[in-house]
Amino acid sequence: MKTKAVLSQTEVSQILGAARTEARNNQWAVSIAIVDDGGHPLALERLDGCAPISAYIAMEKARTSALGRRESKGYEDMVNGGRHAFLSAPLLTSLEGGVPIIVDGQVIGAVGVSGVKAEHDAQVASAGAQCLK
C-alpha cells in the first residue's frame, strides 16, 4: 500500500500566505484558491479590489490542476495549439494559473489564481505551491 502526504490547515495557511505575499509584493489584486488532490476546496481568498468572478475562476484553475496532475497552462497550450475538443472536457478550465502542489513526487493538491495577466496568476500560484519545499 502506498502512502502520501496530505495538506493540513497548517500547510494550507503557509501556501495561502506565500501566494498572498507574492501578489501584494507586485500590487496584484487576485483571488487565491487551494484544493486537495481530489479538487475539493480547502481555502479561498479574494484580495481587496479583485473582481468577484475571479474567485470562481481561481477555484476552477486549482481544481483542473489537481485533477489533471499538471499546470492548467498545459490545457491552454493544447487548445491554442488547435486541440479545440479540450474546450468541452468536463471539470476542466483551459486557463493558465493553476499549479499542482507536489510533495515527494506526488500531487497532493493545487493552487489556482485569477485576477491579473495569466502569467502573473501563474507566478502567484507557483509561489504558493512551491513554499513547502
Side-chain angles (χ1 to χ4, degrees), residues 9-25:
Q9 281 301 302
T10 299
E11 289 84 26
V12 170
S13 293
Q14 290 173 335
I15 294 164
L16 189 58
R20 182 188 314 112
T21 297
E22 182 69 20
R24 285 185 174 158
N25 285 347

Side-chain angles (χ1 to χ4, degrees), residues 75-88 94:
Y75 296 109
E76 182 176 0
D77 291 344
M78 281 186 229
V79 171
N80 290 340
R83 196 151 183 217
H84 300 125
F86 267 96
L87 291 173
S88 65
S94 299

Side-chain angles (χ1 to χ4, degrees), residues 34-122:
I34 302 170
V35 300
D36 66 12
D37 62 334
H40 305 286
L42 297 174
L44 174 66
E45 183 172 339
R46 182 165 54 104
L47 300 182
D48 293 342
C50 189
I53 195 168
S54 69
Y56 176 82
I57 295 169
M59 187 63 69
E60 293 306 308
K61 288 179 179 183
R63 183 175 292 127
T64 295
S65 182
L67 294 174
R69 307 290 192 248
R70 66 168 89 185
E71 291 194 26
S72 59
K73 183 182 185 329
Y75 296 109
E76 182 176 0
D77 291 344
M78 281 186 229
V79 171
N80 290 340
R83 196 151 183 217
H84 300 125
F86 267 96
L87 291 173
S88 65
L91 296 173
L92 181 67
T93 297
S94 299
L95 298 171
E96 183 176 4
V99 177
I101 302 165
I102 301 171
V103 174
D104 295 330
Q106 296 182 329
V107 174
I108 63 166
V111 182
V113 175
S114 180
V116 289
K117 291 181 179 181
E119 63 268 19
H120 296 155
D121 288 346

